[in-house]
Amino acid sequence: MSALSKLYSEIAQCHRCEIARFRTHAVPGEGAENAEVLFIGEAPGYHEDRLGRPFVGPAGQFLDHLLTSIDLRRDQVYIANVIKCRPPGNRDPLPAEIANCHTWLDKQIELISPKMIVTLGRYSMAMFFPGKSISKIHGTAQKRDGITYFAMYHPAAALHQQSLRSEIEADMKKIPPLLTAAKAEARVEPAPQPEQLRMFEV
Ligand code: URA
């Protein structure tokens, strides 16, 4: 059993939040365990709760279309959410729920070790771009500790506001060149460490 599968079992048993009582399934996330790109949405909705899989409803169909537009399939990336249980009535996640679920997401990031993290929507953005506004920073990237963070509107935003659709599509197209750059930087030899330099001292 992989470390991620073990994590799924732990998430399925998690009852840190009240909303765990109402779930049909926890929705840990899915995709390639060594994915270069990790997409992080907000929370499972009705369809996700029924199936235990992320982004399988209407927003998920648009996400699939966005992935196809950059020649990626779901099984080549990893898709997760900030919280793993559906908030009743699809309300926004509460700060306590986000805090309780943070350790699961941190562990996923550690195990997958992606080159790029793409935040989908405000809640996911707030974790990695604190204090920023989505309307200002969508389509922009920040590199920190070897990971490129890229902020996007949530795919569901295009379903509610048709005018955002082309902006979201344009932002998605920025991912391949950012990923190529992130991989090229990772290939650059690291600077020699002091111990290595000592070997050359006379
Ligand atoms: N919206 C999300 O943020 N995540 C899902 O999994 C589905 C819809």
Side-chain angles (χ1 to χ4, degrees):
M1 189 190 250
S2 72
L4 264 178
S5 306
K6 205 162 151 269
L7 192 71
Y8 299 160
S9 316
E10 290 174 37
I11 293 172
Q13 286 161 35
C14 178
H15 280 86
R16 283 179 204 154
C17 305
E18 180 76 1
I19 56 173
R21 292 203 294 127
F22 309 116
R23 72 183 174 216
T24 314
H25 293 105
V27 183
E30 68 180 22
E33 302 211 342
N34 60 350
E36 292 176 334
V37 189
L38 167 61
F39 290 86
I40 306 177
E42 183 177 312
Y46 171 82
H47 301 281
E48 291 75 22
D49 173 70
R50 305 290 298 181
L51 296 180
R53 298 181 54 211
F55 281 96
V56 288
Q61 283 168 18
F62 185 46
L63 180 58
D64 287 347
H65 156 81
L66 292 169
L67 287 171
T68 306
S69 75
I70 56 168
D71 293 324
L72 282 176
R73 297 184 315 267
R74 266 176 178 257
D75 62 357
Q76 294 174 303
V77 300
Y78 198 93
I79 304 173
N81 280 306
V82 169
I83 68 167
K84 314 301 188 195
C85 294
R86 179 190 181 211
N90 291 348
R91 64 156 167 72
D92 289 341
L94 300 176
E97 291 160 355
I98 295 173
N100 286 342
C101 245
H102 213 307
T103 48
W104 299 129
L105 188 60
D106 287 345
K107 193 79 191 153
Q108 284 175 309
I109 295 170
E110 185 191 318
L111 292 172
I112 297 162
S113 186
K115 305 238 170 354
M116 247 185 116
I117 291 183
V118 180
T119 63
L120 301 173
R122 284 182 300 132
Y123 286 89
S124 166
M125 178 202 67
M127 290 187 126
F128 303 100
F129 300 88
K132 302 287 183 198
S133 147
I134 189 109
S135 60
K136 295 219 171 66
I137 68 153
H138 75 89
T140 68
Q142 253 184 36
K143 181 125 192 201
R144 258 174 283 136
D145 303 326
I147 299 182
T148 300
Y149 296 88
F150 183 64
M152 286 184 62
Y153 281 114
H154 194 285
L159 309 178
H160 306 304
Q161 212 176 321
Q162 190 61 24
S163 59
L164 287 181
R165 191 181 169 100
S166 54
E167 280 194 65
I168 296 175
E169 287 172 335
D171 287 348
M172 192 76 175
K173 292 267 164 66
K174 295 181 184 171
I175 292 177
L178 283 167
L179 181 59
T180 304
K183 289 201 287 190
E185 281 167 38
R187 272 197 297 273
V188 173
E189 284 287 306
Q193 298 302 299
E195 313 81 65
Q196 290 169 305
L197 287 174
R198 268 202 297 280
M199 286 167 53
F200 296 100
E201 281 170 8
V202 283

